[in-house]
Amino acid sequence: MLNKFLLGILVALLAAPLSAQQGSEEQSSTEASDRDRDRQYVTDQLRLSLYANPDAQSQVLKLLQSGDLLEIEEISGPYALVTAPGGTRGWVKRGFLVTKPTSNLLLREEQEKTEALEAEIEKLSNSKVIIDQYEKDMDKLVDKIDELETSNQQANETITALRGEVDEKQRELERKLQDTAPPAHEALRDTFLLYWQFIVPLIILIVVLTFLVSKAIVEARIKSKFHGIKVW
């Protein structure tokens, strides 16, 4: 009897957590259902009529596309009062509403994502082409600069070498001139020997002219002193 009592207590203790978990899951499911009840999608592959009243014979305000997200405001039998995209309010048949996005909507979203990715890839591809071309142009420019620097260095070396050669030629010419130039007295002697037939008469002429001029000056001074009387 005691064993049966203990066994019953053990079974009750084990069953309590399971019951609590099931209750929690049911509560979560109920809360999710309540949330889903507030916002639902138009079912796939459908153009659903939005009526002015909860009656299929009433005025059709709008045709809803598959995947349109509707705000549920009121439930009345098989109809639901909803707010459609754009703000239009009306009644739709509840049987054509689902709580999850339709495959058509998911496909459209995936297509939009794919198009956006393709545009981004194309942009990146174009950017890569531009960057590659820029890098190629920069490489060519660097090579051209290296060539110009090399040419400039070679030109500077050539100019330096030519200046050295010119300086050496100039020093050599100066040395030759110094070696071949005669002394000053020898040059004067050679000049006299070469032009003596002109120099000697010129010297004699200069001496005679000097004597005559001096004599004339002396006579003029004597005449001036003795009032024009010639003394000799």
Side-chain angles (χ1 to χ4, degrees), residues 5-6 17 24 29 56 60 87 101 103 109 118 128 139 160 177:
F5 179 73
L6 294 175
S24 177
S29 178
V60 177
S103 59
E109 291 178 351
E118 289 177 351
K128 186 177 184 303
D139 292 338
T160 303
L177 290 175

Side-chain angles (χ1 to χ4, degrees), residues 46-222:
L46 179 69
R47 291 173 66 86
L48 182 62
S49 298
L50 182 67
Y51 299 107
N53 299 304
D55 184 359
Q57 303 301 322
S58 65
Q59 178 186 359
V60 177
L61 302 177
K62 188 177 182 180
L63 291 177
L64 304 175
Q65 301 293 331
S66 174
D68 286 348
L69 181 61
L70 308 177
E71 297 288 341
I72 308 298
E73 299 183 11
E74 183 182 343
I75 301 296
S76 177
Y79 290 90
L81 179 62
V82 300
T83 301
T88 305
R89 297 175 72 251
W91 296 85
V92 296
K93 294 182 179 179
R94 293 175 55 198
F96 297 101
L97 302 181
V98 292
T99 58
K100 296 181 179 180
T102 63
S103 59
N104 188 25
L105 177 61
L106 294 175
L107 178 60
R108 188 162 63 243
E109 291 178 351
E110 291 300 324
Q111 288 176 345
E112 292 176 355
K113 290 180 181 179
T114 301
E115 291 176 357
L117 288 174
E118 289 177 351
E120 189 68 22
I121 290 172
E122 184 177 359
K123 185 187 297 183
L124 293 174
S125 177
N126 293 334
S127 300
K128 186 177 184 303
V129 171
I130 294 173
I131 292 173
D132 291 341
Q133 185 62 38
Y134 174 76
E135 290 179 350
K136 290 179 181 178
D137 294 339
M138 287 301 296
D139 292 338
K140 291 180 180 178
L141 182 60
V142 170
D143 293 339
K144 189 66 175 178
I145 291 173
D146 292 338
E147 292 178 359
L148 291 175
E149 289 180 350
T150 302
S151 300
N152 188 27
Q153 184 176 1
Q154 292 176 352
N156 290 332
E157 292 176 354
T158 303
I159 291 171
T160 303
L162 290 174
R163 284 179 179 174
E165 292 179 0
V166 170
D167 293 340
E168 182 64 26
K169 294 291 185 182
Q170 187 174 0
R171 287 192 294 268
E172 184 178 355
L173 180 60
E174 290 176 354
R175 287 195 300 267
K176 289 182 178 179
L177 290 175
Q178 291 176 358
D179 294 338
T180 56
H185 65 279
E186 293 182 0
L188 183 60
R189 185 193 62 188
D190 293 339
T191 304
F192 180 78
L193 294 176
L194 182 62
Y195 299 102
W196 68 268
Q197 64 270 26
F198 301 104
I199 295 175
V200 171
L202 182 61
I203 292 174
I204 294 171
L205 179 62
I206 292 173
V207 171
V208 172
L209 289 175
T210 304
F211 173 76
L212 293 175
V213 170
S214 299
K215 182 181 178 183
I217 292 172
V218 171
E219 288 179 353
R221 288 180 179 178
I222 292 172

